[in-house]
C-alpha cells in the first residue's frame, strides 16, 4: 500500500489519537487531588457576593450642577451648528459624560435615566435645549446619548 502525500493512514491517525489521550490523562492526573480515604470529608462552598450601588434617596442634582450642564451645552451650540448633527452628537455624548462623571451620583442617575438630561435642561435652560435639539437633529437630548 502506498501513501499519497497529504493523506494519513489509519494507523497514523490512531497513533496520534492514542498519544493525545495519554497526554490528556497525564495532565488530568497532575491536576487531580489526593483521593486517599482519610475517613472524613468536608466541602466548603463560598457564596459569591454582589454589590449593587444605588444612589441615596436624598441624592439630588444641585442647581449649580444643572446650570453647569446648561453652560456647557450653550458653549457647544456654535460648534454643533458648524460640525453638523453627526459629529455634534458625539460632542453631546462627551459633554454629558464629562458633566455626569464629575459626580458619581449624577453619573449613576444619568445611566439609570437618560431623560434626566432633558428634564434638567427643560427646567433650567429650555432655549439652550431647544437649540441643541435643532442643531443635532434629534427629538430630544436623551435620544442623542449613546453608551449610557
Amino acid at each position: 500500500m502506498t501513501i499519497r502525500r497529504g493523506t494519513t493512514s489509519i494507523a497514523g491517525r490512531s497513533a496520534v489519537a492514542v498519544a493525545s489521550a495519554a497526554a490528556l490523562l497525564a495532565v488530568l492526573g497532575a491536576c487531580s487531588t489526593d483521593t486517599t480515604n482519610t475517613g472524613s470529608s468536608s466541602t466548603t462552598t463560598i457564596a459569591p457576593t454582589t454589590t449593587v450601588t444605588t444612589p441615596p434617596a436624598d441624592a439630588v442634582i444641585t442647581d449649580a450642577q444643572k446650570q453647569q450642564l446648561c453652560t456647557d451645552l450653550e458653549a457647544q451650540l456654535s460648534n454643533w451648528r458648524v460640525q453638523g448633527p453627526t459629529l455634534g452628537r458625539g460632542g453631546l455624548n462627551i459633554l454629558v459624560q464629562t458633566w455626569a462623571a464629575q459626580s458619581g451620583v449624577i453619573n449613576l442617575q444619568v445611566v439609570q435615566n437618560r431623560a434626566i438630561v432633558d428634564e434638567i435642561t427643560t427646567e433650567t435652560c429650555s432655549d439652550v435645549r431647544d437649540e441643541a435639539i435643532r442643531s443635532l437633529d434629534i427629538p430630544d437630548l436623551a435620544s442623542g446619548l449613546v453608551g449610557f
Side-chain angles (χ1 to χ4, degrees):
M1 173 169 131
T2 48
I3 299 176
R4 295 184 196 150
R5 185 189 300 184
T7 62
T8 310
S9 70
I10 295 173
R13 282 184 273 179
S14 296
V16 170
V18 169
S20 297
L24 180 62
L25 288 174
V27 169
L28 290 176
C31 293
S32 69
T33 58
D34 183 14
T35 59
T36 312
N37 188 356
T38 60
S40 67
S41 66
S42 66
T43 304
T44 304
T45 304
I46 300 174
T49 59
T50 57
T51 303
V52 177
T53 306
T54 57
D58 60 348
V60 291
I61 300 172
T62 66
D63 288 339
Q65 291 167 326
K66 292 176 183 179
Q67 190 57 48
Q68 183 63 49
L69 175 61
C70 289
T71 302
D72 293 348
L73 284 170
E74 187 173 27
Q76 291 300 313
L77 288 177
S78 63
N79 290 337
W80 294 342
R81 283 186 214 108
V82 171
Q83 295 169 347
T86 303
L87 291 176
R89 288 181 200 135
L92 172 66
N93 275 281
I94 292 169
L95 184 145
V96 172
Q97 287 175 355
T98 302
W99 171 78
Q102 292 173 353
S103 166
V105 173
I106 294 174
N107 196 32
L108 189 57
Q109 288 178 340
V110 173
V111 167
Q112 292 175 344
N113 178 17
R114 293 183 305 187
I116 197 168
V117 174
D118 285 298
E119 295 167 11
I120 291 169
T121 54
T122 298
E123 173 189 320
T124 310
C125 55
S126 61
D127 55 334
V128 172
R129 176 186 177 273
D130 293 342
E131 184 58 33
I133 288 170
R134 271 192 299 281
S135 297
L136 300 174
D137 193 27
I138 52 179
D140 56 23
L141 295 176
S143 65
L145 298 176
V146 179
F148 277 100

